[in-house]
């Protein structure tokens, strides 16, 4: 994980307005560099060059997770003069990245060596992993920048405007600011800025004509030779209607037509997790025998539990794995528990409470009931299942309890990090990720033991995001079937893949990286995406079945087959509701997507 700040401006001598713009830019760049340093605490460096009338600034910070030798960015090629800022991981491609190699160094060498710089998209189409980068090609005076096809790493862009006539790229914002108008860099192409043809007298007017979009796959390259140019498209073959696909009788019995798909899903996920947890450098500083290299954002649901189980298969057995479980003190929820729902409970809420009481969803021991949120309850249950299935592994179940006062005290920092995203839903999810990834909490040796203060030092965090989109885990997939049959489900699953790059990954990356940690998404490895996209729709889910069986059916069967019995039957629950990070105060409009912008004042 690294932080990138790139700036380009066109100074004009003895121009009062330009001096003012330069002062704003310099102050803003300093703030952006500070914010990006948190992403890469191991090393930081700045490089500035002049290209005709333009002044270019490159800043990169480094979180060292690959190779034996310390690396300081930006990478500079002494002979060509090319400059490369890399924020990513190469898990496949480049003929493999050796245990002792740094992937950024190896990729930069491959880029410099391709000859024709316009073949850069073809090279990147053979590389799998999350990334964002800025590359300056000295001979052509061009700047190339992009995110990976799924947008798993953040990169924000400010285009020159009349009020702010300079160009910016940054991994993370400094919050609302009068000096920029940021948006996410789109993932559909490789972007190329022709610096030498920008006019210092009219950088705003000339900018659009100098910013070009290069296709991720050239016409000269076959898609089979470019497996990572773009996410795969959904198999649009409809299930037979005469007869209908057979319905699953029980998760305990895998139908013959799904047996191969279950095994293949497990193999693809297993390979993805292996690529993402092996060869992580040792934790520094070590925290006794409980220092883990890898952690899982852990709710006890099927996605995070499957990732924890697979991480166990590949992480050294003598090292623990941290399970980060976050719970918020939510005054509104606590008030309802103590006083009942003022104004009366709905029928749905009454049924939910009765079901929970009937299921005995309580946890024995000395737990603070203000933090026995749904994800804490399922997390505590699921860690016991993992301990039974994975003898010899030390699981650090980290209780991350967030008092209301602490969450409100961090709100301005969270809003700054998630910017330019700014809805109430963004805030709820960002809060949960911010505190979970920080990893500051407590640990118990058993449920009745007194908690001990604990901080996770793991720099790699596994995240289960992507399984619902790929395997049909949302209620809208069932709704689609009820309104339009299997064809509507196929259409909805294609929309899910199409929307992944524009949804939450950039925001999530900014939140987690703020603690000098890196999130990895095994379900979103492009090989896993391709495998699941190409499966017939009825091999992945069955909306005819009940919730907890018909959604993500294939993953549930795989989990049950390896012994994750409890996890395989758990129903979907969104992070913000499972952790109680959502709707902490009364009076918040449930349907509102907008945050009160007056509370996020732009800095002068």
């Amino acid at each position: 994980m690294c932080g990138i700040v790139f700036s380009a401006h066109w100074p004009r001598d003895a121009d009062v307005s330009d001096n003012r713009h330069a002062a704003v830019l310099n102050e803003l760049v300093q703030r952006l560099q500070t914010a990006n340093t948190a992403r890469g605490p191991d090393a930081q460096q700045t490089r500035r060059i002049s290209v005709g009338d333009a002044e270019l600034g490159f800043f990169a910070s480094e979180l060292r997770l690959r190779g034996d030798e310390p690396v300081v960015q930006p990478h500079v090629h002494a002979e060509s003069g090319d400059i490369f800022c890399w924020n990513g991981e190469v898990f496949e491609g480049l003929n493999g990245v050796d245990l002792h190699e740094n992937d950024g160094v190896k990729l930069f060498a491959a880029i410099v060596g391709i000859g024709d710089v316009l073949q850069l998209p073809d090279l990147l189409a053979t590389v799998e992993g999350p990334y964002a980068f800025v590359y300056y090609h000295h001979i052509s005076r061009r700047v190339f920048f992009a995110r990976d096809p799924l947008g798993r790493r953040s990169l924000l862009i400010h285009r020159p405007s009349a009020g702010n006539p300079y160009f910016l790229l940054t991994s993370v914002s400094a919050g609302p600011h009068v000096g920029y108008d940021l948006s996410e860099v789109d993932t559909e192409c490789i972007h190329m800025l022709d610096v030498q043809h920008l006019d210092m007298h009219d950088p705003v007017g000339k900018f659009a004509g100098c910013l070009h979009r290069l296709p991720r796959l050239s016409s000269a390259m076959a898609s089979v030779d470019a497996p990572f140019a773009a996410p795969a498209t959904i198999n649009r073959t409809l299930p037979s209607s005469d007869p209908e696909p057979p319905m699953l009788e029980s998760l305990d019995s895998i139908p013959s037509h799904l047996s191969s798909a279950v095994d293949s899903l497990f193999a693809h996920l297993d390979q993805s997790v292996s690529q993402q947890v092996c060869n992580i450098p040792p934790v520094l500083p070590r925290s006794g025998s409980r220092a883990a290299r890898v952690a899982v954002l852990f709710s006890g649901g099927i996605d995070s539990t499957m990732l924890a189980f697979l991480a166990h298969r590949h992480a050294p057995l003598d090292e623990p794995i941290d399970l980060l479980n976050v719970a918020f003190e939510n005054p509104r929820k606590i008030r309802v528990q103590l006083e009942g729902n003022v104004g009366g409970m709905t029928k749905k809420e009454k049924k939910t409470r009765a079901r929970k009481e009937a299921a005995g969803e309580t946890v024995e021991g000395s737990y603070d009931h203000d933090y026995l949120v749904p994800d804490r309850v399922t997390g505590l249950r699921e860690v016991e299942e993992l301990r039974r299935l994975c003898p010899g592994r030390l699981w650090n179940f980290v209780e991350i309890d967030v008092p209301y006062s602490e969450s409100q005290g961090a709100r301005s920092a969270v809003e700054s990090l998630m910017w330019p995203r700014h809805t109430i839903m963004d805030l709820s999810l960002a809060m949960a990720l911010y505190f979970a990834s920080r990893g500051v909490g407590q640990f118990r040796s058993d449920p009745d033991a007194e908690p001990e203060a604990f901080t996770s030092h793991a720099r790699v965090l596994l995240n289960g995001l992507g399984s619902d989109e790929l395997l049909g885990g949302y209620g809208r997939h069932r709704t689609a079937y009820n309104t339009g049959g299997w064809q509507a489900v196929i259409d909805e699953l294609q929309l899910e893949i199409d929307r992944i790059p524009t949804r939450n990954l950039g925001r999530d990356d900014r939140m987690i990286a703020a603690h000098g940690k890196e999130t990895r998404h095994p379900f979103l490895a492009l090989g896993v995406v391709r495998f699941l996209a190409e499966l017939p729709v009825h091999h992945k889910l069955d909306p005819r079945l009940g919730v907890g069986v018909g959604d993500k059916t294939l993953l549930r069967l795989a989990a049950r087959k390896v012994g994750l019995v409890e996890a395989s039957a758990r129903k979907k629950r969104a992070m913000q509701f499972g952790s109680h990070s959502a709707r902490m105060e009364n009076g918040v409009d449930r349907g509102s997507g907008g945050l009160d912008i007056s509370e996020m004042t732009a800095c002068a």
Side-chain angles (χ1 to χ4, degrees), residues 248-261:
L248 183 72
E249 295 182 1
S250 167
L251 291 175
D252 291 319
S253 177
I254 300 175
S256 58
H257 72 286
L258 293 180
S259 179
S260 176

Side-chain angles (χ1 to χ4, degrees), residues 49-67:
I49 62 173
S50 297
V51 180
D53 295 332
E55 298 290 331
L56 308 186
F58 303 81
F59 171 86
S61 60
E62 180 83 12
L63 179 71
R64 191 173 74 85
L65 289 172
R66 303 292 288 270

Side-chain angles (χ1 to χ4, degrees), residues 473-590:
Y474 292 121
R476 57 179 173 264
H477 301 127
R478 186 179 303 277
T479 300
Y481 178 81
N482 291 336
T483 57
W486 289 107
Q487 181 62 62
V489 177
I490 291 172
D491 294 341
E492 189 66 36
L493 289 174
Q494 184 60 61
L495 281 175
E496 297 288 4
I497 291 181
D498 295 341
R499 287 186 295 231
I500 287 173
T502 61
R503 293 187 70 190
N504 304 324
L505 288 167
R507 179 204 65 201
D508 295 354
D509 174 66
R510 294 191 291 277
M511 302 313 305
I512 293 171
H515 303 297
K517 299 181 181 181
E518 177 173 286
T519 182
R520 298 181 179 178
H521 305 91
F523 283 98
L524 290 179
L526 286 170
V528 176
V529 174
R530 182 173 59 252
F531 162 72
L532 288 173
E534 292 175 352
L535 277 180
V537 61
H538 61 291
H539 286 196
K540 294 178 280 194
L541 72 159
D542 192 342
R544 301 170 299 175
L545 300 172
V547 178
V549 179
D551 50 314
K552 299 191 288 191
T553 305
L554 189 66
L555 181 62
R556 295 183 185 282
L557 288 169
R560 183 67 65 98
K561 183 173 181 177
V562 298
L564 295 169
V565 176
E566 290 192 43
S568 66
R570 281 212 176 91
K571 297 178 181 179
K572 162 80 179 166
R573 183 169 55 230
M575 177 189 295
Q576 68 271 30
F577 302 119
S579 67
H580 282 184
S581 66
R583 299 181 60 222
M584 292 196 189
E585 302 92 359
N586 285 324
V588 175
D589 180 5
R590 292 190 190 197

Side-chain angles (χ1 to χ4, degrees), residues 290 397-399 440-446 449-455:
R290 290 193 176 275
F397 185 84
V398 187
E399 304 167 31
V440 177
Q442 58 190 25
F443 169 87
R444 302 169 196 257
S445 56
D446 64 70
E450 288 298 315
E452 308 169 24
F454 186 92
T455 298

Side-chain angles (χ1 to χ4, degrees), residues 258-270 531-532 535 554:
L258 293 180
S259 179
S260 176
V262 168
D263 291 343
S264 294
L265 172 60
F266 186 87
H268 278 85
L269 271 181
D270 190 57
F531 162 72
L532 288 173
L535 277 180
L554 189 66

Side-chain angles (χ1 to χ4, degrees), residues 19-195:
N19 289 337
R20 183 177 68 251
H21 294 145
V24 171
L25 176 61
N26 288 337
E27 184 269 342
L28 182 54
V29 167
Q30 288 297 319
R31 294 185 58 178
L32 291 174
Q33 289 180 359
T34 298
N36 278 276
T37 294
R39 297 172 60 91
D42 294 335
Q44 305 85 38
Q45 185 169 262
T46 301
R47 187 172 182 88
R48 296 181 178 88
I49 62 173
S50 297
V51 180
D53 295 332
E55 298 290 331
L56 308 186
F58 303 81
F59 171 86
S61 60
E62 180 83 12
L63 179 71
R64 191 173 74 85
L65 289 172
R66 303 292 288 270
D68 293 338
E69 299 298 325
V71 172
V72 180
Q73 293 200 60
H75 304 284
V76 179
H77 193 266
E79 295 180 7
S80 68
D82 293 0
I83 301 173
F84 187 51
C85 297
W86 169 249
N87 171 27
E89 301 286 349
V90 176
F91 294 130
E92 293 186 64
L94 300 180
N95 296 316
V97 179
D98 184 79
L99 168 65
H100 305 289
E101 293 180 302
N102 178 279
D103 58 334
V105 171
K106 189 167 185 177
L107 178 59
F108 185 35
I111 293 173
V112 172
I114 59 178
D116 181 359
V117 69
L118 295 182
Q119 293 179 351
L120 175 61
D122 290 346
L123 172 62
L124 293 172
T126 66
V127 170
E128 155 54 12
Y131 64 76
F133 72 86
V134 175
Y135 169 56
Y136 171 66
H137 185 245
H138 177 70
I139 293 177
S140 66
R141 306 297 196 268
R142 292 165 171 165
V143 174
F144 298 80
F145 59 95
R147 302 162 68 201
D148 71 80
L150 288 175
R152 289 167 284 183
R153 290 289 175 264
S154 172
L155 191 64
L156 305 172
I157 183 172
H158 164 79
R159 296 170 174 82
S161 63
N164 298 303
Y166 42 77
F167 177 65
L168 284 172
L169 294 166
T170 179
S171 297
V172 62
S173 79
H177 196 287
V178 297
Y180 54 39
D181 180 16
L182 292 176
S183 60
E184 302 266 7
V185 170
D186 77 72
T187 65
E188 295 177 356
C189 62
I190 309 298
H191 302 267
M192 180 184 73
L193 179 63
D194 193 347
V195 177

Side-chain angles (χ1 to χ4, degrees), residues 282-554:
V283 174
L284 294 174
R286 294 194 67 84
S287 179
S289 61
R290 290 193 176 275
R293 301 191 199 196
V294 63
V296 182
L297 295 173
F298 190 75
S299 66
I302 185 172
D303 307 331
S304 60
T305 302
M306 179 62 93
L307 294 185
F309 176 81
L310 294 173
H312 161 74
R313 288 168 53 86
H314 300 287
L317 189 58
D318 61 349
E319 292 184 6
I321 293 175
D322 291 348
L323 305 176
L324 307 179
N325 183 277
V326 65
F328 286 80
E329 179 189 32
N330 186 318
R332 188 183 62 82
K333 291 283 189 180
I334 293 171
R335 191 178 303 115
V336 169
Q337 292 170 358
L338 293 177
E339 303 173 3
N341 192 355
V342 178
M345 296 174 66
T346 65
K347 289 183 179 180
K348 182 177 180 180
E349 289 170 330
K350 290 177 180 178
K351 287 182 179 179
T352 299
R353 176 177 285 187
R355 177 182 56 77
K356 289 183 176 180
E357 290 174 351
E361 290 192 16
T362 58
V363 178
E364 300 298 329
S366 56
Y367 293 94
D368 186 335
H369 282 255
D370 287 349
Y371 297 105
L372 278 179
V373 301
D375 281 359
R376 177 61 49 80
V377 174
T378 55
L380 286 166
R381 288 181 170 178
E382 199 50 51
V383 70
E384 294 305 318
E385 184 165 56
L386 286 171
R387 285 169 178 154
R388 291 193 299 271
L389 280 176
C390 310
R393 172 70 64 189
L394 180 59
W395 298 97
N396 291 332
F397 185 84
V398 187
E399 304 167 31
I400 301 170
D401 297 341
V402 186
Y404 179 71
S405 60
E406 187 173 1
S407 66
Q408 296 310 292
R411 178 168 172 165
S412 62
V414 171
E415 289 174 344
S416 178
L417 288 166
M418 74 186 197
W419 190 264
R421 302 295 293 269
H422 57 85
T423 69
I424 287 175
M425 183 64 76
D426 284 315
L427 180 63
S428 297
L429 288 163
M431 277 283 189
L433 289 171
Y434 179 82
F435 283 101
S437 59
R438 189 177 67 162
V440 177
Q442 58 190 25
F443 169 87
R444 302 169 196 257
S445 56
D446 64 70
D448 293 317
E450 288 298 315
E452 308 169 24
F454 186 92
T455 298
S456 172
H457 294 288
R459 287 182 156 192
V460 171
L461 277 56
L462 300 184
N463 188 333
L465 194 147
S467 71
D468 292 299
E469 288 79 0
L470 298 170
L471 285 151
Y474 292 121
R476 57 179 173 264
H477 301 127
R478 186 179 303 277
T479 300
Y481 178 81
N482 291 336
T483 57
W486 289 107
Q487 181 62 62
V489 177
I490 291 172
D491 294 341
E492 189 66 36
L493 289 174
Q494 184 60 61
L495 281 175
E496 297 288 4
I497 291 181
D498 295 341
R499 287 186 295 231
I500 287 173
T502 61
R503 293 187 70 190
N504 304 324
L505 288 167
R507 179 204 65 201
D508 295 354
D509 174 66
R510 294 191 291 277
M511 302 313 305
I512 293 171
H515 303 297
K517 299 181 181 181
E518 177 173 286
T519 182
R520 298 181 179 178
H521 305 91
F523 283 98
L524 290 179
L526 286 170
V528 176
V529 174
R530 182 173 59 252
F531 162 72
L532 288 173
E534 292 175 352
L535 277 180
V537 61
H538 61 291
H539 286 196
K540 294 178 280 194
L541 72 159
D542 192 342
R544 301 170 299 175
L545 300 172
V547 178
V549 179
D551 50 314
K552 299 191 288 191
T553 305
L554 189 66

